Amino acid sequence: EPEVTQTPSHQVTQMGQEVILRCVPISNHLYFYWYRQILGQKVEFLVSFYNNEISEKSEIFDDQFSVERPDGSNFTLKIRSTKLEDSAMYFCASDTRGRYTGELFFGEGSRLTVL
Amino acid sequence: DAKTTQPNSMESNEEEPVHLPCNHSTISGTDYIHWYRQLPSQGPEYVIHGLTSNVNNRMASLAIAEDRKSSTLILHRATLRDAAVYYCILREKRQGGSEKLVFGKGMKLTVNP
């Protein structure tokens, strides 16, 4: 069964450092998303990406965040200068365009710990 | 975003059916009803979705009220692996595209052996 893969599974970083979280979406998918979940809280939408540009972003997704699809397979989330409050699980997701399947495929997540 | 209301938690027994309710009284005509679940330490997982008619798949059944203001996710035989947080989410279908999911707090299902 196709799956979304994310790396690293866990990253520990110092406050102020740059972090890049990587995702490989399912190969024939065209919409890509990042969500995050702070420990014990709701899953929150960060950004959606289609056709090499951001289609929607939340208030959380400020200038410290950026996304990129540098090649045909990877989809990355960069946090330029991490803060303590960026500590969370970050989930990548993807889905198809066109015929509505209703199913969003999520990866297992990358846990970010900012010290 | 149209909102849903779920109980905070439910308990069920293994191998028994369990009905998970969801209210969505402000649902619009273009909103699909989606259910996702999140097992401990994992990403959300799609369970089922529907618009007006009841739906069945290998994981569960979705019963949608005639006025669409409520729905029920039915797990026919709960297993220990079904213990998770279940999210009932309204998602607007956009022509040719996809809409983000807005997660609420969800409902924690405990399955007793």
Side-chain angles (χ1 to χ4, degrees), chain B residues 7 24 26 29 31 39-40 47 49 56 80 84 91 94 100 105:
Chain B
H24 28 77
T26 59
D31 286 334
L39 279 65
V47 177
H49 80 281
N56 299 296
L80 296 179
R91 189 183 191 200
R94 289 184 176 172
K100 68 185 181 190
K105 293 181 181 178

Side-chain angles (χ1 to χ4, degrees), chain A residues 28-73:
Chain A
N28 65 342
H29 285 186
L30 297 174
Y31 273 82
F32 312 113
Y33 307 80
W34 283 101
Y35 288 77
R36 81 171 186 189
Q37 187 175 31
I38 296 171
L39 186 64
Q41 298 189 23
K42 295 189 284 187
V43 177
E44 301 174 290
F45 168 77
L46 292 179
V47 66
S48 59
F49 190 86
Y50 169 70
N51 200 24
N52 281 321
E53 60 182 26
I54 290 173
S55 50
E56 188 175 359
K57 60 183 180 180
S58 71
E59 292 180 353
I60 303 168
F61 195 88
D62 62 22
D63 293 344
Q64 293 299 312
F65 291 88
S66 63
V67 288
E68 193 176 41
R69 189 159 159 81
D71 53 40
S73 59

Side-chain angles (χ1 to χ4, degrees), chain A residues 1 31 33 35 37 42-45 56 89 91 95-98 100-108, chain B residues 32 34 36 38 41-44 46 49 58 87 91-94 96-101 103-105:
Chain A
E1 189 171 315
Y31 273 82
Y33 307 80
Y35 288 77
Q37 187 175 31
K42 295 189 284 187
V43 177
E44 301 174 290
F45 168 77
E56 188 175 359
M89 282 290 285
F91 296 108
D95 69 5
T96 57
R97 188 175 187 270
Y100 187 74
T101 65
E103 182 172 358
L104 193 58
F105 292 79
F106 284 84
E108 293 292 312
Chain B
Y32 279 75
H34 288 256
Y36 280 74
Q38 188 174 23
S41 302
Q42 293 191 26
Y46 169 83
H49 80 281
R58 62 177 176 83
Y87 300 97
R91 189 183 191 200
E92 181 186 356
K93 179 196 173 186
R94 289 184 176 172
S98 295
E99 173 64 22
K100 68 185 181 190
L101 293 172
F103 288 83
K105 293 181 181 178

